[in-house]
Amino acid sequence: EAGVTQSPTHLIKTRGQQATLRCSPISGHTSVYWYQQALGLGLQFLLWYDEGEERNRGNFPPRFSGRQFPNYSSELNVNALELEDSALYLCASSPGTGFQPQHFGDGTRLSIL
Amino acid sequence: AQSVAQPEDQVNVAEGNPLTVKCTYSVSGNPYLFWYVQYPNRGLQFLLKYITGDNLVKGSYGFEAEFNKSQTSFHLKKPSALVSDSALYFCAVRDDSSASKIIFGSGTRLSIRP
């Protein structure tokens, strides 16, 4: 069984640019979650999608947005990039509405120059 | 509002000794509790969960956790630590409402010395 896959592995941008991160969940999983992990810190919840709908959102500005496609894959878009957006962005998936454990990808390392 | 606390940033243990990584939580309804481990440059890996039932939950790699409702704790334990257990450990909690998201603790770095 293929795990959660994220692309790209690394992404380098400059301030003010836009970044798109992609996530493919485990086959059969309908929920996708996005987290931000700044260096040496814990996970900050960004977004939760299930069956194509946004179920919950963390305390992030509107320039962080995303969507879930009919095949349950997901995109995270970050507009007007700022230096403090540099972090590891983790995607996770789970079956249903999240009472089961989440399975994580290895993340996209976003660096803002 | 739900929350989870990991009071220790770092835990140091000698190989072969028992280890405990602490976690306390707060939820408005029934708690669903999880432990994850993160190795360098990797995503989180699921270790174990408590949904309901026995208070002692057994998980991967010889880890176990004890759910204590009165103390609102869910400490991670292992009887005999291995050097390969050195990693970052996260406790997570959600309540039983359908729209509830999972909240992760700040993480505890476990270091096992040979």
Side-chain angles (χ1 to χ4, degrees):
Chain A
E1 177 185 84
V4 176
T5 57
Q6 292 187 244
S7 63
T9 305
H10 295 92
L11 190 56
I12 300 174
K13 295 285 186 177
T14 58
R15 287 177 60 191
Q17 285 189 315
Q18 184 258 350
T20 298
L21 287 62
R22 296 180 175 84
C23 172
S24 292
I26 290 174
S27 177
H29 287 190
T30 61
S31 277
V32 169
Y33 311 80
W34 287 95
Y35 296 89
Q36 182 194 65
Q37 186 178 27
L39 190 62
L41 299 178
L43 276 70
Q44 301 299 315
F45 169 75
L46 268 165
L47 289 160
W48 169 19
Y49 292 98
D50 182 67
E51 297 282 1
E53 300 287 331
E54 183 179 298
R55 298 292 184 185
N56 212 322
R57 182 182 176 87
N59 188 25
F60 279 82
R63 57 191 185 83
F64 286 84
S65 65
R67 54 180 172 167
Q68 186 179 33
F69 299 100
N71 66 354
Y72 303 117
S73 67
S74 178
E75 265 183 11
L76 174 68
N77 295 292
V78 188
N79 294 320
L81 287 165
E82 301 178 1
L83 292 176
E84 54 263 36
D85 297 333
S86 294
L88 181 67
Y89 288 83
L90 292 167
C91 173
S93 73
S94 72
T97 54
F99 291 97
Q100 294 303 317
Q102 297 178 5
H103 298 260
F104 283 78
D106 286 337
T108 293
R109 173 75 62 188
L110 177 61
S111 299
I112 312 303
L113 304 178
Chain B
Q2 57 196 49
S3 65
V4 60
Q6 294 182 242
E8 302 156 316
D9 290 337
Q10 174 123 6
V11 170
N12 300 307
V13 176
E15 187 176 28
N17 283 359
L19 68 87
T20 298
V21 183
K22 296 180 181 177
C23 172
T24 58
Y25 67 90
S26 174
V27 296
S28 54
N30 294 315
Y32 291 73
L33 294 153
F34 307 86
W35 274 102
Y36 290 83
V37 60
Q38 185 179 30
Y39 297 99
N41 300 313
R42 300 298 302 275
L44 279 65
Q45 294 179 31
F46 168 71
L47 280 178
L48 50 81
K49 67 179 179 183
Y50 172 83
I51 304 296
T52 186
D54 287 342
N55 290 341
L56 186 64
V57 178
K58 294 189 182 296
S60 305
Y61 312 121
F63 284 94
E64 58 189 28
E66 186 168 11
F67 172 66
N68 188 316
K69 188 174 182 178
S70 63
Q71 297 186 4
T72 61
S73 68
F74 189 57
H75 300 332
L76 181 70
K77 301 181 179 184
K78 188 173 183 180
S80 179
L82 299 173
V83 172
S84 57
D85 293 330
S86 298
L88 189 56
Y89 289 80
F90 290 96
C91 180
V93 66
R94 63 164 295 173
D95 65 31
D96 55 2
S97 65
S98 61
S100 171
K101 61 181 185 282
I102 292 181
I103 300 295
F104 284 82
S106 55
T108 297
R109 189 163 301 281
L110 178 63
S111 178
I112 310 300
R113 61 184 183 275

